[in-house]
């Protein structure tokens, strides 16, 4: 192992949170090195418009994603099963390389509801403790929505999010989300223009008495210059957004919003194609001394640093803590320990409606292009009659209709042959989807630990995921999917294909890359890995970012909250920790 | 020489070559070299790379039953589905080069996904062998491609339903693999050897890689009339 000169800060992973935190700490005058497991990627070289729109390469063969040969997980539905490796990614697709998952995300950029931050207290106050699902480990966040608001605002203005406020300083705004928490100001750019299918969704939803509004979008409705001086261009609705890099500089990403400022900063250095295998600790395990990483030649390096930021995406944050022995691993049998605890996910469904006499043109779209209703999300409706907690937003998205993947046909259509061909041709431009995007609570048996059998290329144990959907989520999802059916019917669908989510959870069909929990934050070291400033309880010069911090998952995409938490944490590091390096919260 | 390195990496990605590369340092300037980009290699028609002549004839015959030629447009054979599959099987897809293929292999639950030790190239070799033995055993020594279209549909339906059995391979699983790859070939960018002249996209009305549809969003519910464009351009542009 070769030892490198020490740095002030080592950042593990150069995706959304790694690039933001690195830049903010460089600006605070620190020497920062970021170590990234994948390659350098940039717009003109890796996803220009004459290369990017390639469905087979990016979406189907997953060229732009992490390859399981490099790193994967094992999976089982329950403690009784033997976990087997995820040999090909399906249910979620993970980022690899500079920009992380920020390269190929959709850009649906949400805030969580104020009540999501007090999930446990709020539900008990409103419904009583007995209303919570069996075996749940739902817990409150260690901060309130009001405390997070300035940081949400910061991330949204760095991204240039296109949207319409529904609540400005407590005042209801027509056309925005009436259920959202108060914002200090409107979105940086106006909402995207909605096309045919989102328009039909919004009209039908309003007729049913719901409250449609445009999805908060990281696909730019107009040109925008962010606070770092990065310029974004208007989105052209090219239809190659999720699973693709953007060739237009129209999708907020580390590449378009942060990296040019970061890489030019004299305090920064980045190393790509280098995989961190361990956070090194002093013999008493009370301090991190830096990280160990391996480059493409297999050469091992030690990078000493005063401060370690774990920004490797939720799942890999958890794996790195487990591999490094930071924090007590969770044991679901004794219900003790914290690292790996409270893994949660997202529960999604879709209703395909088939229509007559319409040109949907859904191939024209963008990742976060569509209309939404939030009437059935979180605790925006009375759950007392339903017997479940949580909820979902319902969406009339126009994110893409790429031909290998998006060719639904009405029920009863054969899967091949002349009749298939005919019906496929008829249905392609006359289909619209109403989706549901729901919360998943945390439970005792849903967790992450190290696999006893399977190893990665370095001989280190893969992480093992144990997860299944619980009755509460399946019930909630069914209820919300039935509302989606009502909307599709009101839109005039003549037939429908309804995809209720059924257990067991499967790693095969794509659902979302919204893996949460594992390094949960909280006020009690018995039920959290990090404190409210995302600082490890056990090793105070280690901070963790990403959705692994979430105690359970709300009904929204995570990255608005993940970005806000990065700004929240980096401010605490800069203004508190650096002045007095040590625990920011007494245990 | 970052650009050369990345080009090699791109080539290795496409052809599965093992080319060593070095880690890169980002410092003070964004890495940049003129004209650096990583387009895929274009598939050119020509001799089979993976299939034997016999295998190719079977796959082409299957392509034409899965996607028959009719008044709506070309069938799977003319679209190049077999060429597409041939080239895919000859690359990293065929060998599962990007997947986690470390042992032990075990049979899992359906929710645990792919656990097969055989990569697609091996599955095709075994699957096509089993299909031939099934057909010759059942139809007086005739291979799949020598059957009548009706008999071919009979065989494919039996595979789909799991009724066609042969000791050489799981013909039901092989049917799913075939169906997947056929539709990939028919609808993927023509640069990969299928979807000839964008016939798959024309069937749907998918305009391809035009990359700017602001007008479509501004004027909803209109039939789009411009012809499709692919990464390789349009047939009209080529001589
Ligand atoms: C297809 C897709 C669609 C999505 N759509 C949305 C959406 O619409 N809305 C939304 O809110 N969210 C969406 N997401 C999720 C979003 O991309 C993530 O929430 C976000 O990128 C997380 O930021 P991060 O910094 O935690 O991780 P990333 O941005 O993923 O960055 C982590 C980085 O760490 C690197 N790394 C990991 N392990 C190591 C190691 N051991 N050593 C060195 N480097 C390492 C990785 O290679 C990666 O570059 C989507 C994700 C995907 C994949």
């Amino acid at each position: 192992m070769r030892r490198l000169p020490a740095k002030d800060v080592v950042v593990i992973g150069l995706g959304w949170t790694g690039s933001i935190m690195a830049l903010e700490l460089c600006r605070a005058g620190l020497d920062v090195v970021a170590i990234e497991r994948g390659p350098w990627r940039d717009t003109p070289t890796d996803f220009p418009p004459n290369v990017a729109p390639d469905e087979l390469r990016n979406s189907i063969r997953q060229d732009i994603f992490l390859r399981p040969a490099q790193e994967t997980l094992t999976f089982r539905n329950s403690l009784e099963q033997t976990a087997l490796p995820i040999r090909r990614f399906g249910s979620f697709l993970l980022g690899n390389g500079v920009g992380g998952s920020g390269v190929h995300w959709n850009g649906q950029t949400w805030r969580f509801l104020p009540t999501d931050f007090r999930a446990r207290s709020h539900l008990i106050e409103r419904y009583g403790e007995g209303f919570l699902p069996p075996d749940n480990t739902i817990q409150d966040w260690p901060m309130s929505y009001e405390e997070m608001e300035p940081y949400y605002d910061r991330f949204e203005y760095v991204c240039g999010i296109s949207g319409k406020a529904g609540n400005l300083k407590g005042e209801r705004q027509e056309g925005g989300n009436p259920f959202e928490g108060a914002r200090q100001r409107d979105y940086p750019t106006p909402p995207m223009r909605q096309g045919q299918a989102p328009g039909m969704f919004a009209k039908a939803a309003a007729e049913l008495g719901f409250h449609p509004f445009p999805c908060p979008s990281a696909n730019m409705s107009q040109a925008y210059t962010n606070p770092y001086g990065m310029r974004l261009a208007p989105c052209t609705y090219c239809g190659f957004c999720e699973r693709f890099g953007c060739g237009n500089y129209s999708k907020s990403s580390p590449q378009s919003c942060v990296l040019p400022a970061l890489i030019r900063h004299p305090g920064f250095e980045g190393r790509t194609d280098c995989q961190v295998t361990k956070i090194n600790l002093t013999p008493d395990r009370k301090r991190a001394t830096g990280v160990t990483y391996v480059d493409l030649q297999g050469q091992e390096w030690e990078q000493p640093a005063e401060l370690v930021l774990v920004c490797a995406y939720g799942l890999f944050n958890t794996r790195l803590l487990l591999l490094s022995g930071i924090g007590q691993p969770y044991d679901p049998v004794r219900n003790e320990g914290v690292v790996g605890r409270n893994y949660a996910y997202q529960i999604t469904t879709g209703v395909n409606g088939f229509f007559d006499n319409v040109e949907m043109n859904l191939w024209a779209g963008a990742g976060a292009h569509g209309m939404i209703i939030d009437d059935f999300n979180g605790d925006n409706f009375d759950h007392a009659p339903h017997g479940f907690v949580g909820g979902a937003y319902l969406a009339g998205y126009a994110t893409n209709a790429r031909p290998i993947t998006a060719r639904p046909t009405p029920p009863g259509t054969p899967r091949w042959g002349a009749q298939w061909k005919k019906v496929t041709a008829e249905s392609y431009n006359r289909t619209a989807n109403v989706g549901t995007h729901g919360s998943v609570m945390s439970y005792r048996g849903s967790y992450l630990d190290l696999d006893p059998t399977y190893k990665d290329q370095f001989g280190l144990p893969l992480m093992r995921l144990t997860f299944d959907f619980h009755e509460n989520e399946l019930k909630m999802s069914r209820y919300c999917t039935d509302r989606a059916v009502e909307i599709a019917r009101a839109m005039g669908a003549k037939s429908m294909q309804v995809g209720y989510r059924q257990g067991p959870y499967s790693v095969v069909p794509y659902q979302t890359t919204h893996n949460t929990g594992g390094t949960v934050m909280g006020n009690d070291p018995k039920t959290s890995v990090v404190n409210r400033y995302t600082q490890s309880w056990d090793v105070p010069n280690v901070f963790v970012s990403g959705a692994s911090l979430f105690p359970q998952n709300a009904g929204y995409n995570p990255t608005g909250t993940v970005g806000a938490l990065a700004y929240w944490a980096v401010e605490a590091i800069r203004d508190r920790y650096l002045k007095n390096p040590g625990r920011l919260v007494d245990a | 020489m970052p650009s050369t390195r990345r080009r090699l990496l791109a080539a290795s990605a496409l052809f599965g070559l093992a080319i060593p590369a070095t880690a890169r340092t980002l410092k003070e300037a964004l890495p940049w070299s003129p004209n650096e980009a990583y387009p895929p290699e274009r598939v050119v028609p020509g001799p089979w790379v993976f299939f034997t002549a016999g295998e190719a004839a079977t796959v082409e015959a299957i392509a034409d039953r899965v996607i028959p030629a009719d008044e709506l447009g070309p069938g799977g054979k003319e679209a190049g589905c077999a060429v597409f599959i041939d080239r895919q099987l000859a690359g990293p897809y065929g060998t599962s080069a990007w997947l986690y293929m470390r042992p032990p292999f075990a049979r899992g639950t359906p929710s645990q996904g792919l656990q097969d030790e055989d990569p697609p190239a091996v599955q095709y070799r075994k699957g096509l062998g089993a299909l031939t033995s099934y057909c010759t055993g059942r139809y007086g020594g005739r291979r799949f491609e020598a059957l009548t279209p009706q008999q071919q549909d009979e065989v494919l339906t039996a595979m789909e339903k799991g009724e066609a059995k042969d000791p050489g391979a799981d013909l039901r699983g092989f049917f799913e693999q075939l169906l997947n790859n056929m539709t990939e070939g028919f609808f993927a960018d023509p640069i990969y050897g299928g979807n000839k002249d964008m016939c798959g996209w024309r069937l749907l009305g998918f305009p391809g890689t035009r990359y700017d549809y602001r007008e479509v969003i501004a004027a909803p519910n209109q039939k789009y009339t411009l012809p499709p464009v692919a990464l390789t351009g349009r047939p009209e542009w080529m001589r």
Side-chain angles (χ1 to χ4, degrees):
Chain A
M1 177 145 65
R2 291 197 230 165
R3 196 181 154 97
L4 292 155
K7 295 272 185 181
D8 296 328
V9 185
V10 61
V11 176
I12 309 173
L14 198 52
W16 253 133
T17 59
S19 56
I20 287 173
M21 295 180 85
L23 178 55
E24 291 295 317
L25 291 180
C26 283
R27 282 157 62 115
L30 300 185
D31 241 356
V32 178
V33 61
I35 318 272
E36 165 56 49
R37 128 188 108 180
W40 166 248
R41 292 184 200 280
D42 204 3
T43 309
T45 48
D46 294 77
F47 28 93
N50 62 336
V51 173
D54 184 338
E55 185 183 13
L56 183 81
R57 177 178 180 177
N58 293 304
S59 174
I60 309 292
R61 300 286 181 260
Q62 305 170 4
D63 189 8
I64 202 169
F65 295 95
L66 175 67
R67 296 178 187 167
Q70 180 169 353
E71 188 169 358
T72 187
L73 295 77
T74 68
F75 165 72
R76 58 182 179 172
N77 280 120
S78 69
L79 286 161
E80 297 73 48
Q81 289 177 350
T82 304
L84 294 178
I86 303 178
R87 297 188 183 276
R88 176 171 62 203
F89 288 123
S91 161
F92 45 84
L93 299 170
L94 301 160
N96 190 47
V98 174
S101 315
V103 167
H104 42 61
W105 72 318
N106 265 325
Q108 302 160 359
T109 314
W110 294 92
R111 297 179 175 198
F112 286 6
L113 295 167
T115 47
D116 289 330
F117 286 81
R118 336 180 33 246
R120 184 169 202 93
S121 315
H122 170 82
L123 290 171
I124 291 175
E125 279 158 26
R126 187 164 177 186
Y127 304 107
E129 181 138 22
F131 198 74
L132 299 186
D135 277 339
N136 81 85
T137 48
I138 301 170
Q139 61 197 50
D140 288 353
W141 291 52
M143 76 280 282
S144 66
Y145 170 81
E146 289 71 26
E147 284 177 286
M148 281 300 284
E149 202 285 334
Y151 307 93
Y152 272 126
D153 179 85
R154 188 77 207 281
F155 182 64
E156 288 163 2
Y157 271 72
V158 165
C159 289
I161 302 304
S162 301
K164 173 87 187 80
N167 178 347
L168 280 182
K169 299 183 175 143
E171 266 183 47
R172 172 85 201 269
Q173 306 293 311
E174 215 35 62
N177 180 3
F179 300 99
E180 71 178 6
R183 333 175 145 255
Q184 56 175 287
R185 51 178 172 167
D186 209 330
Y187 285 97
T189 54
M192 302 185 83
R193 245 177 134 148
Q194 304 297 333
Q196 180 62 20
M200 289 169 70
F201 170 91
K203 186 161 169 288
E207 279 165 13
L208 291 169
F210 307 139
H211 302 85
F213 61 93
C215 180
S217 168
N219 318 123
M220 294 300 99
S221 60
Q222 61 183 43
Y224 179 71
T225 304
N226 85 0
Y228 298 132
M230 304 294 113
R231 288 155 187 265
L232 288 103
C235 172
T236 60
Y237 304 84
C238 78
F240 291 88
C241 198
E242 176 178 38
R243 304 188 181 199
F244 303 84
C246 176
N248 282 335
Y249 300 84
S250 303
K251 176 163 72 173
S252 332
S253 67
Q255 273 76 1
S256 60
C257 298
V258 187
L259 289 166
L262 174 64
I263 291 171
R264 290 188 190 119
H265 201 289
F268 178 76
E269 183 180 330
R271 296 191 201 123
T272 59
D273 290 310
C274 291
Q275 183 153 341
V276 174
T277 50
K278 198 176 180 192
I279 301 159
N280 302 317
L281 303 179
T282 52
D284 66 2
R285 315 188 77 75
K286 292 212 157 72
R287 253 191 90 68
T289 56
V291 303
T292 297
Y293 69 87
V294 185
D295 68 17
L296 275 184
Q297 271 74 41
Q299 172 68 45
E300 211 176 38
W301 301 85
E302 184 192 344
Q303 175 62 64
E306 291 297 313
L307 190 59
V308 178
L309 304 186
V310 190
C311 301
Y313 185 83
L315 292 170
F316 302 108
N317 294 342
T318 309
R319 179 165 185 245
L320 280 166
L321 294 201
L322 289 168
L323 288 175
S324 311
I326 298 178
Q328 193 188 337
Y330 179 61
D331 175 348
V333 177
R334 301 206 329 272
N335 201 21
E336 276 172 24
V338 284
V339 185
R341 180 173 167 275
N342 280 26
Y343 174 83
Y345 192 51
Q346 208 89 65
I347 187 162
T348 56
T349 61
V351 176
N352 286 315
F354 302 94
F355 298 80
D356 277 336
N357 304 321
V358 63
E359 300 293 337
M360 292 292 183
N361 297 338
L362 275 177
W363 32 266
H369 178 225
M371 294 294 285
I372 309 284
I373 63 161
D374 221 14
D375 299 65
F376 299 102
N377 210 343
D379 202 34
N380 295 341
F381 60 109
D382 184 8
H383 287 68
H386 303 305
F388 60 77
V389 300
Y393 70 68
L394 272 55
Y397 277 132
T399 58
N400 60 69
R402 291 182 300 269
I404 301 177
T405 339
R407 289 175 281 102
T409 49
T413 310
R415 296 160 69 216
W416 53 279
Q419 183 63 11
W420 163 81
K421 191 176 174 189
K422 180 165 168 283
V423 178
T424 299
E426 286 166 1
S427 309
Y428 177 71
N429 217 33
R430 284 169 200 83
T431 306
N433 181 278
V434 180
T436 78
H437 183 279
S439 58
V440 171
M441 296 302 143
S442 44
Y443 296 91
R444 192 163 165 170
S446 303
Y447 75 111
L448 301 161
D449 67 351
L450 293 177
D451 190 88
T453 308
Y454 292 95
K455 307 270 193 285
D456 70 7
Q457 53 178 335
F458 308 115
L460 299 170
L462 294 181
M463 190 162 62
R464 173 169 66 178
L465 163 62
T466 306
F467 178 72
D468 205 350
F469 290 124
H470 285 64
E471 191 49 40
N472 178 74
E473 276 61 38
L474 294 171
K475 237 174 166 174
M476 180 279 287
S477 181
R478 176 163 277 273
Y479 176 78
C480 291
T481 307
D482 285 338
R483 306 288 80 74
V485 168
E486 282 169 20
I487 294 179
R489 195 173 293 129
M491 287 165 72
K494 67 172 198 260
S495 66
M496 274 182 238
Q497 184 191 53
V498 184
Y500 291 108
R501 183 69 62 194
Q502 255 130 22
Y505 164 74
S506 164
V507 296
V508 179
Y510 186 77
Q511 292 154 66
T512 64
T513 309
H514 305 164
N515 316 83
T516 67
T519 71
V520 165
M521 56 184 176
N523 288 324
D524 181 353
K526 284 206 186 59
T527 53
S528 57
V529 174
V530 298
N531 65 27
R532 73 195 303 261
Y533 300 111
T534 78
Q535 177 185 39
S536 160
W537 287 111
D538 299 86
V539 186
N541 64 336
V542 170
F543 286 75
V544 183
S545 75
S548 52
L549 300 168
F550 298 2
Q552 56 274 329
N553 202 8
Y556 302 98
N557 313 58
T559 310
T561 305
V562 165
L565 282 168
Y567 280 108
W568 156 273
V570 85
E571 187 184 280
I573 293 171
R574 192 185 59 211
D575 297 350
R576 293 160 177 262
Y577 178 83
L578 291 178
K579 296 197 174 105
N580 188 6
R583 269 194 179 179
L584 296 176
V585 178
D586 288 329
Chain B
M1 291 195 305
S3 113
T4 313
R5 183 188 77 79
R6 284 295 305 270
R7 227 173 279 288
L8 286 172
L9 276 186
S12 75
L14 284 164
F15 303 113
L17 311 172
I19 291 174
T22 48
R24 183 185 244 185
T25 301
L26 311 169
K27 183 98 188 121
E28 273 162 15
L30 290 157
W32 174 264
S33 36
N35 298 326
E36 183 186 351
Y38 310 99
E41 193 83 4
R42 184 174 174 198
V43 168
V44 284
W48 301 105
V49 179
F50 174 79
F51 290 137
T52 64
E55 287 171 336
T58 306
V59 175
E60 289 195 314
I62 297 171
D64 258 353
R65 293 322 300 157
V66 170
I67 308 170
D70 56 18
E71 68 287 354
L72 296 173
K77 176 177 172 180
E78 191 190 332
C81 290
V83 177
F84 168 87
I85 297 174
D86 179 69
R87 303 306 197 271
Q88 288 290 307
L89 293 176
Y93 173 73
T95 55
S96 292
W98 298 353
L99 306 187
Y100 183 87
M101 297 302 280
R102 288 168 196 272
F105 285 87
R107 256 183 92 109
T109 63
S111 67
Q112 289 175 309
L114 174 88
Q115 296 298 335
D116 208 317
E117 197 168 352
D118 288 342
V122 176
Q123 282 174 11
Y124 266 84
R125 195 117 284 157
K126 289 185 183 169
L128 289 169
L131 175 59
T132 300
S133 109
Y134 175 81
C135 292
T136 48
R138 215 179 158 85
Y139 297 95
R142 279 182 298 151
R143 296 168 55 92
F144 182 87
E145 59 272 26
L147 306 180
T148 66
Q150 206 181 353
Q151 289 169 325
Q152 291 176 336
D153 284 358
E154 216 172 82
V155 172
L156 291 173
T157 305
M159 286 171 76
E160 184 179 20
K161 290 189 175 152
E163 290 161 2
K165 302 244 192 282
D166 185 88
D170 162 22
L171 284 174
R172 184 188 211 155
F174 184 52
F175 177 84
E176 295 300 321
Q177 173 94 29
L178 278 166
L179 188 58
N180 237 328
N181 295 147
M182 292 289 168
T183 47
E184 283 172 2
F186 199 67
F187 294 115
D189 196 283
I191 204 165
Y192 295 103
N195 191 12
K196 181 163 183 279
D197 294 346
M198 298 174 281
C199 63
W201 294 355
R202 288 178 211 272
L203 175 75
L204 302 177
F206 174 67
T209 63
R210 288 181 166 273
Y211 222 65
D212 189 348
Y213 297 124
R214 281 172 287 189
E215 288 150 30
V216 174
I217 299 295
N221 203 13
Q222 308 285 314
K223 194 163 182 58
Y224 193 75
T225 50
L226 293 178
V229 173
L231 294 175
T232 42
R234 284 171 49 200
E236 294 86 335
W237 300 348
M238 278 174 263
R239 282 181 293 159

